[in-house]
Amino acid sequence: MPCGTVLDFRPTEQLLQPQADLWLTPLTGVRPETYDGVRSDVLDQADRVLRERLEQDADADEDGPLLGIVTMTWSARRSAAKGDLAKAAVLSHWRLTDLAEVRPLAG
C-alpha cells in the first residue's frame, strides 16, 4: 500500500451524510431527505444549483473554489449515477479552506 494511503471502512452513508451536512446543503439548499436519500438525484440537483450560482456570479474567478466545487460535484454525480457511491463520497470531500471561500445560500 502506498505511503499516505488512508483507509476508511465506514459505510458509504456514514461518509456521505456528514458531507451533506457540512457543505452540500449550506451551499446549495439541497437536502438528501428531499430525494429519499437517492444520492445520484441529490448530487444532480446540487450540480444544477452550483452551476446556476456560477453563471450568476459574473465576477467568479475561473480558478476559484466555486468552479472547483462544481467540477468535483459533477464527477461525484457521475460516479453516483453509475452506482459507485464510495467514489462519489471521495470526490465530494472538500478541504474546509476551499469551502470557507464560497458563501452559503441565504436563508
Side-chain angles (χ1 to χ4, degrees):
M1 186 175 317
C3 180
T5 299
V6 177
L7 300 176
D8 193 334
F9 295 104
R10 292 178 291 168
T12 304
E13 187 59 34
Q14 286 182 357
L15 298 172
L16 290 170
Q17 189 57 51
Q19 291 176 30
D21 296 341
L22 178 66
W23 70 269
L24 188 123
T25 299
L27 291 181
T28 65
V30 176
R31 297 187 176 282
E33 60 271 13
T34 304
Y35 298 90
D36 294 325
V38 178
R39 294 298 173 172
S40 57
D41 292 347
V42 172
L43 289 167
D44 187 47
Q45 183 59 29
D47 183 64
R48 284 189 189 118
V49 171
L50 289 168
R51 287 181 185 281
E52 286 174 11
R53 286 187 66 180
L54 191 60
E55 288 175 13
Q56 291 172 358
D57 191 357
D59 297 329
D61 179 5
E62 66 182 41
D63 292 326
L66 184 57
L67 181 59
I69 291 169
V70 167
T71 302
M72 292 305 287
T73 302
W74 176 82
S75 295
R77 178 179 62 86
R78 286 183 45 132
S79 294
K82 293 177 183 176
D84 192 348
L85 292 179
K87 186 173 183 182
V90 170
L91 288 169
S92 60
H93 187 77
W94 281 96
R95 294 184 332 216
L96 293 177
T97 53
D98 290 339
L99 296 173
E101 296 179 31
V102 180
R103 62 177 163 55
L105 285 178

